[in-house]
Amino acid sequence: MNYLNTSISLLFDPLSLFFLFVILLVSVPSAIYSIGYLKGQYSSGKIMLGWLLFTAFVLSMALVVTAGNALMFLIAWEIMSMVSYFLVIFDHTHEKSVKAGIIYIVMTHIGTTFIIASFLILFKYAGSFDFAAFKSASRTIPPNLKHIIFLLLLVGFGTKAGIVPLHIWLPYAHPQAPSHISSIMSGVMIKTAIYGMLRFIVFILGIEGIWWGNLILILALLSCLVGVIYALMEHDLKRLLAYHSVENIGIILLGIGASMVFFKMNLPVLAVLSLCAGLYHLINHAIFKGLLFLCAGAVYKATGTRNIEKLGGLIKMMPWTAAAFLVGSLAISAIPPLNGFVSEWLTLQAFFLGAISSPGGYKVFFSICASLLALTGGLAAACFVKAFGITFLALPRSKGVTEAKEATLSMKFAFVFMMLLTVLFGLAAASIIKLLVKVSGFIFSLNTGGMNFSVNNFSLAIPQSEVYLSTPLIAIVFAAIAGICFLCVHLFAGRSKITSYNTWDCGYYNLDARTEYTATAFSKPFRIAFNFFLLPYRCSQA
Amino acid sequence: MELVFILGIPLCLAIASLFVRRSSLFGIFNAFGYLAVLCVSLRLSFEITKGVTPFIPSTFFHIDALSAYFIFLIALINFISSLYSIGYLASDVKEGAITERKASGYWTLYNLFAFTMFFVTVVNNLGIMWVSIEMTTLISAFLVGFYNTKKSIEAAWKYIIICSAGIVLAFLGTILLYYTVSRHGGINSLNWTDIVSVARNLDPRVTKIAFLFILVGYGTKAGLAPMHTWLPDAHSQALSPVSALLSGVLLKTAFYAIIRFMIIVNKCVPSHYTQNLFIFFGIVSLGVAAGFMLVQKDIKRLLAYSSVEHIGIISIGLGFGGILGIYGALFHAFNHAVTKALMFLGAGSVVRKYKTSNMHLIKGVINVMPWTGVILILGAFALAGSPPFSIFLSEIMILTAGFQQGFYTGAILFLLFVGIIFAAIIYHFSRVIFGNKPQTITVTHGQITAKLSLILLLILILVFGISIPVFFDKFIVMAVEIIKG
């Protein structure tokens, strides 16, 4: 042991604390949710085992982000993978779970191999596994070797993060785990890979070439588009959410990649801004994706299916779940004043300002990035119209749905908690960004004293430009419009002229669930629009 | 004094087992015997780490930290395996697979086998060491062919033929070494301690050739590819507790002999000669194992190929050299012994329950035998090199040594093959342990001795994976110093 020059050491710098906060933010409501979720689905022994694994999982993630040397990091990282593998195959009698588990653990391990290789190169120069030694040794590493280390780390962490084309395991593994675990896996676990990238690539290695940022931006764009397009085609509720994780990791990486480019272009304010945007989206995604997976779990538990073509009309049976899913959908679709909007707005602003202040080709590149991000946002909104509409509105499409029961108290508590968080992180953007600026400044080792991204406690403002955003104001306006509409309806129409009629009847009579709009039909335009990529084919069945 | 107990207890037990009527009672007695041996070997290690030279009756024997380390390994695995054997044999007798008489024959062979292995590690004379390694082959061949089925006899035959052919080469190597010792060293002795003292004067060319013969010869016994072909057959046909011994420690005793020769050779030939050979054979072993493990159907053969892999890793560790590499190699010898014993014993229970070793027919172990299932899947991760289990630590040490010493190609190939092997092990074991159990298998409680031995091993793997105890660390360091010379 002594020859490896390591001892047990923990690290609590701003970067670690930020991720630790995100982990706990999602894990605590998921734990509460699981009280109700596990009951009745599994035997009591299995529930105990579930709790054991859950605790080990959260602890290992916490250890990943607080480990003070690379050996501890690796150990925690592998324990995290192993425990999550056990959670993926929690329903081990399903052939599908075992398959998903194997794909997951093998791909993750391949990623880890790349990480180990990069650590060993760093060790050769540092003579120790300590992060501090790594950081001071990184000055002596020749640039070419740094490029190799960067690529190794990118592949290694990219596999865990699920960036395209290393995302293959993600849509298998995330849906197979019990839902409270899916919510942690999607919400937090893949973020530990982002932590790894920030810690090792940006913080320890230092950015050596501007192409690092460009490469990350291109991969991020690819992840955004591929993720959202596949999500649009998906009819398994949890797989759909898993594909959205690929998309959102892309959005987070857009912020991080852009910040790396800006940092090399010597634009510190923009670098900090876009890194803040990335980190902000990281928290936001953790919150709303966690919420959405919890809702999907409640739906699955109530109906026994995850196929949205068989669902429908759940809003009447499960109003709490429906409300929670709606809020989550609005947040992930970047609708103001909820949290998703703020971070995507920040990312877009970073691209716009980058296009203005950078030379030549980068103007075009950043504009393309911004426009593709906007496209992603639009497609994501469409996808969630489908997911919410088909699942919760209309008439029930199968028998199981009509017997669905509302979620239990502990599950509702988790919903409400997460809903409040989505609202809070939308409205309190100005205060949150102050903290994020500090974290970003720490990561880049920049002094952020002069950088101010908020004018008061209610509005975001970007220095050197005339851009402002006040989410509380938007919320007030929205509330006012809604209030006025409500008043108008009641004043002019009155109670007498509102009649309730069969759901989605459209004036016909005797329509039943079989004639309703389906998810397949809803996504058809997108299937046609992207047929160059999706390559759909027809086959007839006798 | 320790020496007398270490060699004496197995020998006495072997003689006592000849007069046994009730084999199950004797099994318990036997296990206590090995517990005593384990305690003695621990005491020996303690004394050596404190700097006390153990009492040795004559120069015929030689005990230093290196041999004490291997004695400890053999004693540990023998104790666990004898514990496990109690229940294993009892149920064999109960099912009528073997007679009571044959069961006591098992104990005789078992003890003789242990005796010969201990003998290899304590003997000073390289010629006698050769004889005792051949003895381990001859005795364990009877344990491989124990059930007298067509397959097991074929495996035993293959085992004897290939290992004997290999060991003839080692004999040539020993003779060549003796030639240069008597010609250039000026002494007529095969004692290791004497040869080491004159090793600088030996003729480098002859020594090089001698080492090549030794490496190929004993390497056959150690299971280095491409001389490993006997290994999967013998290990899969032997009784499971014997498989644990074969894989866990027998391979290492052959490797111990190679290390003894290496120490001599490194004194007169620049060490990169032996290093390159070790790396070459190690990488070939890893590659061969990786390929065969991916397509394996038989659970015990899978584990046997994994032994080829791990012997390769030990060899690579010695090849990378440096304190870290050698430390890693020795530590890996321990880790592999413990982990592989765990896996063979666990797999043994599974094979016994399902009456087949074909992995396509074994499903849902965790439902049928929850304890064994959980321990096996954890053991599979340990074997594949996941933390927090001990193999991870030794592999990281060896890899770090590789990068430190600049063997980049070797280290990268190592990473690649170990990655493939991880996939193979987890793929196979996931499918065996999870899934729906076959209708015909009923859930039963396992034997207490089997559970106890598995849990003991798992605890060892976990403890050593989290941190190496100070005493043990010092012990390995002393052994490393002997190897470095």
Side-chain angles (χ1 to χ4, degrees):
Chain A
M1 265 315 242
N2 301 328
Y3 299 110
L4 291 174
N5 282 331
T6 49
S7 53
I8 293 172
S9 67
L10 292 178
L11 197 66
F12 291 99
D13 58 14
L15 179 57
S16 295
L17 286 175
F18 171 77
F19 279 89
L20 199 58
F21 171 71
V22 178
I23 289 169
L24 293 178
L25 197 65
V26 179
S27 303
V28 172
S30 295
I32 295 168
Y33 170 91
S34 71
I35 300 171
Y37 178 73
L38 292 173
K39 199 189 272 177
Q41 285 206 74
Y42 301 100
S43 65
S44 62
K46 197 112 194 243
I47 290 176
M48 281 305 291
L49 179 69
W51 276 103
L52 191 73
L53 288 173
F54 177 89
T55 321
F57 187 34
V58 176
L59 279 179
S60 62
M61 282 192 295
L63 198 59
V64 164
V65 297
T66 53
N69 65 54
L71 198 62
M72 266 184 76
F73 177 87
L74 268 184
I75 292 175
W77 181 262
E78 281 283 274
I79 295 178
M80 176 179 85
S81 305
M82 191 171 77
V83 173
S84 50
Y85 157 81
F86 287 134
L87 287 164
V88 168
I89 49 170
F90 199 64
D91 299 317
H92 68 88
T93 46
H94 294 288
E95 199 68 32
K96 256 171 115 182
S97 298
V98 179
K99 191 181 157 211
I102 292 172
I103 293 174
Y104 166 56
I105 191 76
V106 168
M107 282 204 65
T108 294
H109 190 80
I110 292 168
T112 311
T113 308
F114 281 89
I115 299 173
I116 291 178
S118 68
F119 284 1
L120 290 174
I121 299 175
L122 283 167
F123 179 86
K124 188 174 164 65
Y125 283 87
S128 151
F129 277 116
D130 271 345
F131 287 163
F134 273 13
K135 193 168 164 63
S136 55
S138 73
R139 279 185 231 110
T140 59
I141 300 175
N144 282 338
L145 199 56
K146 271 194 183 178
H147 294 321
I148 293 175
I149 298 177
F150 164 71
L151 286 176
L152 289 172
L153 286 169
L154 186 65
V155 175
F157 288 119
T159 315
K160 192 65 156 192
I163 57 178
V164 175
L166 302 166
H167 67 291
I168 304 167
W169 63 272
L170 206 147
Y172 285 98
H174 287 199
Q176 284 304 328
S179 294
H180 63 294
I181 300 299
S182 312
S183 108
I184 297 180
M185 280 180 82
S186 246
V188 200
M189 188 190 74
I190 55 175
K191 309 304 183 347
T192 57
I194 304 288
Y195 166 78
M197 289 186 190
L198 289 175
R199 170 70 73 193
F200 294 104
I201 295 175
V202 182
F203 185 71
I204 285 179
L205 209 53
I207 303 153
E208 185 63 33
I210 199 162
W211 67 271
W212 294 15
N214 292 335
L215 181 63
I216 291 183
L217 276 178
I218 290 166
L219 288 174
L221 285 175
L222 209 61
S223 305
C224 285
L225 288 172
V226 171
V228 79
I229 292 170
Y230 272 109
L232 264 169
M233 298 303 126
E234 194 51 68
H235 296 157
D236 178 324
L237 194 52
K238 282 176 81 176
R239 268 176 82 94
L240 179 148
L241 294 175
Y243 275 118
H244 272 289
S245 294
V246 176
E247 175 223 329
N248 278 288
I249 279 290
I251 298 177
I252 295 167
L253 283 176
L254 278 179
I256 291 170
S259 75
M260 287 165 75
V261 173
F262 292 140
F263 187 76
K264 274 316 264 187
M265 284 179 167
N266 217 357
L267 297 167
V269 176
L270 280 182
V272 169
L273 171 70
S274 43
L275 188 55
C276 284
L279 293 178
Y280 206 145
H281 198 72
L282 192 147
I283 311 184
N284 291 343
H285 177 243
I287 296 168
F288 55 63
K289 186 52 66 67
L291 175 61
L292 288 168
F293 262 117
L294 296 184
C295 295
V299 169
Y300 175 65
K301 190 185 178 193
T303 62
T305 180
R306 302 193 307 241
N307 184 352
I308 56 175
E309 299 281 38
K310 295 210 169 98
L311 298 169
L314 280 172
I315 197 167
K316 295 203 177 101
M317 277 72 93
M318 316 172 73
W320 286 81
T321 313
F325 196 91
L326 182 62
V327 170
S329 304
L330 291 175
I332 200 173
S333 314
I335 305 291
L338 297 174
N339 59 358
F341 171 74
V342 181
S343 47
E344 287 199 27
W345 182 84
L346 282 170
T347 316
L348 278 171
Q349 292 303 331
F351 281 129
F352 292 149
L353 293 172
I356 291 168
S357 44
S358 58
Y362 276 104
K363 281 193 197 301
V364 182
F365 184 49
F366 286 137
S367 314
I368 292 173
C369 289
S371 53
L372 289 182
L373 175 60
L375 175 65
T376 308
L379 292 175
C383 185
F384 276 95
V385 170
K386 175 186 91 174
F388 181 77
I390 305 290
T391 310
F392 289 98
L393 305 181
L395 292 172
R397 293 183 179 81
S398 67
K399 192 157 173 277
V401 180
T402 49
E403 291 153 8
K405 289 210 170 56
E406 177 58 295
T408 59
L409 188 65
S410 75
M411 291 157 87
K412 279 186 212 158
F413 175 83
F415 294 155
V416 173
F417 183 79
M418 300 283 255
M419 271 152 71
L420 286 178
L421 284 181
T422 55
V423 177
L424 183 72
F425 276 80
L427 295 183
S431 323
I432 288 157
I433 198 113
K434 283 180 192 156
L435 291 171
L436 290 180
V437 167
K438 281 184 191 143
V439 177
S440 311
F442 172 79
I443 294 170
F444 279 124
S445 315
L446 285 173
N447 181 15
T448 54
M451 296 180 199
N452 207 356
F453 291 105
S454 49
V455 281
N456 47 38
N457 281 336
F458 306 105
S459 323
L460 293 174
I462 293 171
Q464 302 154 10
S465 68
E466 300 286 318
V467 190
Y468 299 96
L469 172 71
S470 175
T471 35
L473 196 64
I474 297 176
I476 291 168
V477 172
F478 272 27
I481 293 173
I484 291 166
C485 290
F486 184 76
L487 273 179
C488 289
V489 170
H490 272 261
L491 276 180
F492 298 118
R495 193 172 287 267
S496 59
K497 293 201 179 156
I498 299 173
T499 46
S500 299
Y501 204 68
N502 293 345
T503 309
W504 283 17
D505 227 16
C506 303
Y508 278 72
Y509 54 93
N510 278 345
L511 285 184
D512 63 6
R514 287 170 59 198
T515 43
E516 278 170 5
Y517 205 20
T518 62
T520 316
F522 186 92
S523 56
K524 176 141 191 182
F526 303 101
R527 202 155 47 244
I528 294 170
F530 293 105
N531 66 359
F532 62 91
F533 173 69
L534 292 165
L535 304 175
Y537 60 90
R538 282 166 200 271
C539 65
S540 7
Q541 282 175 321
Chain B
M1 257 340 262
E2 287 91 354
L3 182 65
V4 178
F5 286 111
I6 287 168
L7 291 178
I9 294 175
L11 205 56
C12 292
L13 285 171
I15 295 165
S17 64
L18 292 173
F19 306 102
V20 164
R21 294 260 176 275
R22 299 254 332 254
S23 68
S24 55
L25 267 179
F26 181 77
I28 298 167
F29 181 60
N30 199 58
F32 274 109
Y34 281 100
L35 185 60
V37 176
L38 181 61
C39 293
V40 172
S41 78
L42 268 176
R43 192 184 130 80
L44 179 69
S45 341
F46 263 122
E47 291 210 333
I48 284 181
T49 48
K50 268 191 250 153
V52 184
T53 350
F55 166 75
I56 291 156
S58 79
T59 53
F60 183 74
F61 296 109
H62 173 68
I63 297 182
D64 52 16
L66 184 61
S67 37
Y69 184 69
F70 281 87
I71 291 172
F72 169 68
L73 284 192
I74 299 170
L76 178 68
I77 303 302
N78 259 307
F79 165 61
I80 303 276
S81 178
S82 63
L83 189 65
Y84 181 88
S85 298
I86 302 171
Y88 195 87
L89 273 195
S91 64
D92 254 1
V93 172
K94 209 168 119 197
E95 284 167 19
I98 54 171
T99 58
E100 190 84 24
R101 174 128 201 90
K102 190 150 188 194
S104 55
Y106 169 81
W107 290 119
T108 317
L109 287 169
Y110 183 94
N111 288 312
L112 281 177
F113 181 37
F115 171 75
T116 52
M117 284 197 288
F118 281 124
F119 204 79
V120 174
T121 53
V122 295
V123 78
N124 192 7
N125 186 307
L126 294 179
I128 306 291
M129 186 187 276
W130 182 87
V131 173
S132 46
I133 288 186
E134 180 64 8
M135 284 304 288
T136 59
T137 312
L138 292 180
I139 293 173
S140 53
F142 285 104
L143 288 167
V144 170
F146 191 71
Y147 285 122
N148 275 337
T149 61
K150 196 174 168 225
K151 264 181 147 179
S152 68
I153 288 181
E154 187 195 329
W157 181 80
K158 204 170 168 184
Y159 175 39
I160 291 188
I161 296 296
I162 295 176
C163 281
S164 302
I167 216 153
V168 168
L169 298 178
F171 187 60
L172 268 176
T174 316
I175 291 175
L176 275 173
L177 188 75
Y178 182 69
Y179 162 75
T180 172
V181 166
S182 58
R183 179 80 189 272
H184 306 100
I187 47 164
N188 288 326
S189 163
L190 261 178
N191 278 356
W192 183 81
T193 39
D194 298 335
I195 298 180
V196 165
S197 63
V198 298
R200 268 169 234 294
N201 306 330
L202 302 183
D203 180 39
R205 283 168 303 170
V206 180
T207 322
K208 271 187 182 177
I209 297 170
F211 184 69
L212 208 55
F213 275 113
I214 293 288
L215 185 61
V216 172
Y218 286 142
T220 310
K221 190 73 198 276
L224 283 173
M227 297 87 75
H228 67 286
T229 43
W230 62 274
L231 198 148
D233 289 303
H235 287 216
S236 60
Q237 288 306 318
L239 294 88
S240 293
V242 176
S243 308
L245 279 178
L246 289 177
S247 252
V249 283
L250 177 65
L251 304 183
K252 272 111 196 176
T253 50
F255 216 89
Y256 167 80
I258 298 178
I259 294 177
R260 284 286 177 199
F261 278 94
M262 182 194 89
I263 298 171
I264 297 169
V265 176
N266 277 352
K267 282 195 193 297
C268 76
V269 182
S271 68
H272 65 76
Y273 173 70
T274 52
Q275 281 185 307
N276 287 339
L277 279 174
F278 276 128
I279 294 176
F280 171 76
F281 279 107
I283 294 287
V284 172
S285 304
L286 275 181
V288 167
F292 279 98
M293 283 168 83
L294 273 177
V295 296
Q296 206 48 250
K297 284 201 291 263
D298 183 308
I299 190 167
K300 284 181 80 177
R301 284 180 81 91
L302 177 76
L303 293 174
Y305 275 110
S306 152
S307 294
V308 176
E309 175 218 346
H310 285 282
I311 284 292
I313 292 177
I314 295 172
S315 168
I316 291 174
L318 284 175
F320 286 163
I323 293 178
L324 197 55
I326 299 172
Y327 187 108
L330 286 181
F331 187 37
H332 196 82
F334 169 80
N335 295 337
H336 173 240
V338 179
T339 316
K340 187 50 66 63
L342 172 82
M343 292 308 281
F344 262 121
L345 299 183
S349 304
V350 171
V351 170
R352 143 109 0 125
K353 180 86 202 166
Y354 282 75
K355 304 264 188 292
T356 173
S357 58
N358 185 338
M359 286 189 283
H360 295 314
L361 303 175
I362 306 176
K363 288 244 176 308
V365 171
I366 206 158
N367 286 335
V368 180
M369 22 192 2
W371 280 86
T372 315
V374 169
I375 291 176
L376 262 184
I377 189 74
L378 291 177
F381 273 99
L383 194 62
S386 273
F389 306 108
S390 55
I391 283 185
F392 170 77
L393 275 186
S394 50
E395 285 188 356
I396 267 290
M397 282 174 188
I398 292 170
L399 272 170
T400 313
F403 272 83
Q404 254 181 350
Q405 313 281 334
F407 294 102
Y408 293 111
T409 323
I412 286 166
L413 283 174
F414 180 111
L415 267 175
L416 172 75
F417 288 135
V418 168
I420 296 173
I421 288 167
F422 178 91
I425 290 181
I426 298 304
Y427 172 78
H428 289 304
F429 275 94
S430 296
R431 292 166 61 99
V432 164
I433 287 164
F434 302 109
N436 275 317
K437 72 181 178 75
Q439 298 291 319
T440 46
I441 306 282
T442 50
V443 181
T444 45
H445 292 286
Q447 296 141 348
I448 185 83
T449 53
K451 266 187 210 167
L452 192 64
S453 44
L454 289 181
I455 290 169
L456 274 176
L457 288 170
L458 188 67
I459 290 172
L460 275 179
I461 295 172
L462 265 175
V463 168
F464 280 81
I466 292 162
S467 81
I468 306 165
V470 182
F471 139 75
F472 197 79
D473 181 63
K474 207 172 158 197
F475 190 25
I476 302 185
V477 170
M478 289 185 74
V480 170
E481 275 161 10
I482 288 170
I483 294 179
K484 291 219 49 135

